[in-house]
Amino acid sequence: MNIVFLLIVVTAFAAAAWRQWHFVPSDGAEAVSSPMEALSSGMVASATGAIELAIGLVGVMALFLGLMKVAEEGGMLVIIAKLIRPLMVRLFPQVPANHPAMGAMILNMSANALGLGNAATPFGIRAMQALDALNPRPGTATNAMAMFLAINTSGVTLLPAKVIAIRAASGSMDPAGILPTTLFATVVSTLAAIAAALLFQRFFPVGQPTAEELAMARPWVADAQAVALPAASTQAAAEDVSAYPLWVCILALGCIVLAIPATIFWGKVIAPWIVPTMMLGFLVFGWLRGVRIYEAFVEGAKDGFGVALRIMPYLVAILVAVGMLRASGALDVIVGTLAVVTAPLGLPAEALPMALLRPLSGSGAYGVMTATLTDPAIGPDSYVGYLVSTIMGSSETTFYVLAVYFGAVQVRRIRHTLLAALTADVVAVVASVAICRYLFT
């Protein structure tokens, strides 16, 4: 991450310096900012926006971390892990089959698949904290962490609700027309993410921990271990967390598969019910399992503030770097250069900014999509309109995800995670172009 961070900043500074060197204000244009002034303003605005974003996440994280605490104390994560055990043990062989991290990862993937946006973040943070309890080298990403985040940034999307809403607001006659294209692109990119994570982990060894790393304070690890310990405290408990019969696991996976067409056909009806039903379901489940749900919820919600504080520096670093890249004009130069090659392949210049900006900035990508869909010369139901919508719905803000999730557990050495995630991003764009060209040209 050190190299990536420095490369983005150096590229932005070099682009701004070149433009500044050739900058000649025209008559009466004193108010026009010079390239370096624009770069400075972009840096300050990005830093401010990063803090505002982190503060805005506090409430969401407090809510869903509270629900996660209720689920943990009621044993929901272990139940979920047991249901999906045949699949998860193959993807995450380093994680014990009944570990709470399994259930937390599944909840995060499910929330992302249903288009819950920031609501999925607390589940992912809880999963990372549980995975860090198994980490032999604090501060360094494990293979399981890398695999989880690679899947997270490319996860199968059943209901890209925000994208559909923007298409509807832009006057689309078929706002939900991207459901099959998004599903196809995310399935392909998820398979690519899994393959990339398995391939690249061989070239990025974990290494031996230093004394300083072993002494690093990790309060979240104690919380994760407190959830996991009761499961192994007695023989009866150990039997309780053994895998369900194979037919039960197959039935559970079958229900997930059947949810795909159900979401495609009834997604607009289902979407408003997801979050309220989730809260009711978690609380009722905890109450039926004998959990003191109010106390557990409040205890879990307290973590939201601590997590927000931990991720702030990481967000400032990555969002300022991305803001510099945009404000310097370097991104425009890259788009103009690549468009010559990508346009004949089905990725025209109008859609290329979305492909490049999506891994870097979620708000920037939404801005690009909205501007494209509302452009009278393009429109939401054109090939370009479907393409930018599909790219938006089938990929994730990779650098943001890595900054938030790794920041929550103080991981600085990310090993092959970024490479695997960016591989999935590239595949998502290629798959989006392929399916949109097949269906809409």
Side-chain angles (χ1 to χ4, degrees), residues 43-58:
M43 293 171 63
V44 173
S46 298
T48 303
I51 298 302
E52 292 175 349
L53 177 61
I55 293 174
L57 283 173
V58 170

Side-chain angles (χ1 to χ4, degrees), residues 23-237:
F23 178 70
V24 179
S26 57
D27 293 339
E30 291 81 7
V32 176
S33 298
S34 69
M36 275 298 175
E37 290 173 336
L39 182 63
S40 299
S41 299
M43 293 171 63
V44 173
S46 298
T48 303
I51 298 302
E52 292 175 349
L53 177 61
I55 293 174
L57 283 173
V58 170
V60 175
M61 286 193 289
L63 170 61
F64 284 93
L65 287 177
L67 294 178
M68 279 291 292
K69 191 67 173 179
V70 174
E72 287 176 353
E73 293 196 3
M76 178 183 288
L77 300 188
V78 175
I79 292 173
I80 294 175
K82 289 160 61 179
L83 284 173
I84 318 295
R85 179 176 177 175
L87 175 63
M88 296 298 285
V89 294
R90 287 165 175 78
L91 289 176
F92 302 94
Q94 307 88 357
V95 181
N98 304 305
H99 197 274
M102 288 292 197
M105 287 190 289
I106 294 168
L107 285 175
N108 171 264
M109 295 174 190
S110 301
N112 277 323
L114 295 173
L116 298 186
N118 288 340
T121 302
F123 299 139
I125 288 175
R126 180 62 73 191
M128 289 293 285
Q129 291 173 337
L131 289 173
D132 202 41
L134 304 171
N135 191 352
R137 186 176 181 183
T140 296
T142 63
N143 289 340
M145 289 179 178
M147 175 67 77
F148 171 57
L149 290 188
I151 294 175
N152 188 283
T153 57
S154 66
V156 174
T157 303
L158 303 179
L159 187 62
K162 290 184 179 179
V163 179
I164 292 174
I166 293 175
R167 286 180 54 81
S170 302
S172 173
M173 300 299 293
D174 185 21
I178 62 164
L179 284 173
T181 60
T182 299
L183 181 60
F184 173 83
T186 52
V187 168
V188 173
S189 65
T190 299
L191 294 175
I194 294 171
L198 292 174
L199 174 64
F200 296 145
Q201 71 184 27
R202 304 176 183 179
F203 307 104
F204 295 84
V206 175
Q208 295 299 317
T210 65
E212 181 181 356
E213 290 171 339
L214 292 176
M216 189 175 79
R218 295 186 295 164
W220 55 88
V221 169
D223 295 339
Q225 290 174 337
V227 176
L229 283 175
S233 58
T234 64
Q235 181 62 32

